[in-house]
Amino acid sequence: MWGGRFAGGFAEIMERINASIDVDRRFHDQDITASQAHAEMLVQQGIISQEDGAAIREGLEKVRHEIESGAFSFSAALEDIHMNVEARLTELIGAPAGRLHTARSRNDQVATDFRLWVRDALDALDGAVKDLQAALLDHAEAEAGTVMPGYTHLQAAQPVTFGHHMLAYVEMLGRDRGRLADCRRRLNESPLGAAALAGTSFPIDRGRTAQALGFDRPMANSLDAVSDRDFALEFLSAAAILSVHLSRFAEEMVLWCSDGFRFIALSDAFTTGSSIMPQKKNPDAAELVRGKSGRVIGDLNALLIVLKGLPLTYGKDMQEDKEPVFDAADTVMLCVTAMTGMVRDMRPNRDALREATAAGYLTATDLADWLVRVLGLPFREAHHITGSIVARAEALGQALADLPLAEMQAIEPRITAEVQSVLSVDSSVASRTSEGGTAPERVLAAAAMARQRFL
Ligand code: ARG
């Protein structure tokens, strides 16, 4: 493509380090679509003839078909997808192919193709995350009244409902989708027409190509247009945060499946057996979701580090931008989809969830609140008295709800039998009616709202 100035050929190792075709062939479709929009604009602006424009459009369509049908032979000697497509176009239509690259460079071309690819990936991911929210919402509604221990420090803290716990993830994923949407909004400007870096002397219409490719507008600065990879970084950081959320949930699933918890069961569809221990049912899919978050975080790091020292504008280092983005997109899509499968497969064990609320004095806060509300004690004093009552219950090996009234009165004589009404886990969750709280009626209302907001 640049033979004019070069006499010798590439060293074999140069070809290997230089070629990106095995990676960037993945956006052949975007490359062809963007080239067609460019050629169309060149015709409209009178920069190339109608006939050449038509030959280019049809030739590119043939190339697309060859690639899609598997008939195309990619060549590392032709470096990347842009030159592979153009070389084949030249074979197919001859001289007019040479006019396609007028007023364009591979620098604005690759930036355009990559943006289009990431935009599609964002849309696909958004749909997948939405499906996961839908699966969580089904459980949230079915288990709005299912009590379980809520934890801080992984110590049983207060009773909550399983449905409420599901809604926490619905919210996290909602923010993930917000980040994807933000990324899409900022990404959606067209670099095409920035040419190599400085713009072009041809009378192009950048608004026309931008519009044809579904961009909101052309990018304002040609130097920025060819050197910006913020969209890739934003995609990777949104993907990394999403995979961290998935990993936290996966970790809970692993815990919940374990013998210490038994809060949920996963079917054979999402577990594996052990080759030596016949009794085992391992939550491998959840473990892999947890593990794969490491790759996605690594992908973000990789690109941040590639870009950090690059002067304006394009540098070949930037060819390294695609692998982390493709890897993260594939990985996070796989993880979201596997999570959706597991959530749909998961059966909460209501008995085990309730049994777990018996230990840990989960309603101690309810007792303290009662002392404040009914006896008018300052909360700090109520906290202290409750601590003594819990210690007494612990010494007697009894749950708070079963502790005889006399034992409580020995510590605080003003306590009456009425206190017993707040010491059950069901009364505890039912009382948590504040906005965003765990009361079953609140959970049902929040789930209904979430359906409106997210689905
Ligand atoms: N394959 C290249 C990349 O992905 C395309 C741009 C090449 N530009 C250049 N000036 N050599 O970055």
Side-chain angles (χ1 to χ4, degrees), residues 2 18-21 24 27 78-83 105-111 114 196 229 314-322:
W2 56 77
N18 200 42
S20 58
I21 186 60
D24 57 28
F27 51 57
L78 290 166
E79 241 185 275
D80 57 22
I81 186 64
H82 322 293
M83 299 211 287
S105 155
R106 273 188 298 155
N107 295 349
D108 58 339
Q109 189 178 357
V110 71
F114 197 20
R229 292 294 182 271
Y314 179 84
K316 196 67 174 249
D317 319 47
M318 287 161 70
Q319 183 165 282
E320 290 293 308
D321 58 2
K322 292 162 207 77

Side-chain angles (χ1 to χ4, degrees), residues 185-204:
R185 197 173 317 119
R186 269 187 298 278
L187 163 153
N188 208 32
E189 296 186 342
S190 173
L192 198 57
L197 74 164
T200 175
S201 57
F202 290 97
I204 58 170

Side-chain angles (χ1 to χ4, degrees), residues 291-428:
K292 281 175 189 292
S293 62
R295 293 170 61 130
V296 182
I297 295 164
D299 290 328
L300 169 62
N301 271 305
L303 188 57
L304 283 168
I305 295 165
V306 166
L307 292 171
K308 78 177 249 314
L310 288 190
L312 298 187
T313 53
Y314 179 84
K316 196 67 174 249
D317 319 47
M318 287 161 70
Q319 183 165 282
E320 290 293 308
D321 58 2
K322 292 162 207 77
E323 273 175 286
V325 168
F326 292 161
D327 182 66
D330 291 342
T331 304
V332 85
M333 189 60 143
L334 179 65
C335 290
V336 172
T337 314
M339 271 320 242
T340 306
M342 275 189 280
V343 170
R344 293 235 173 264
D345 185 70
M346 152 180 104
R347 292 287 157 258
N349 181 351
R350 291 178 186 167
D351 294 338
L353 289 159
R354 176 173 288 277
E355 265 165 44
T357 63
Y361 305 99
L362 298 185
T363 56
T365 315
D366 299 84
L367 171 55
D369 288 350
W370 184 89
L371 296 172
V372 170
R373 204 172 45 245
V374 178
L375 302 187
L377 299 182
F379 183 77
R380 283 293 156 221
E381 199 183 321
H383 184 283
H384 189 80
I385 292 167
T386 305
S388 306
I389 293 175
V390 166
R392 184 70 191 140
E394 206 167 15
L396 296 173
Q398 272 174 326
L400 271 185
D402 303 332
L403 190 65
L405 182 61
E407 293 290 346
M408 289 193 240
Q409 286 171 332
I411 292 162
E412 171 47 64
R414 285 173 291 170
I415 294 179
T416 66
E418 191 207 314
V419 76
Q420 259 124 11
S421 69
V422 303
L423 297 180
S424 79
V425 290
D426 293 286
S427 63
S428 174

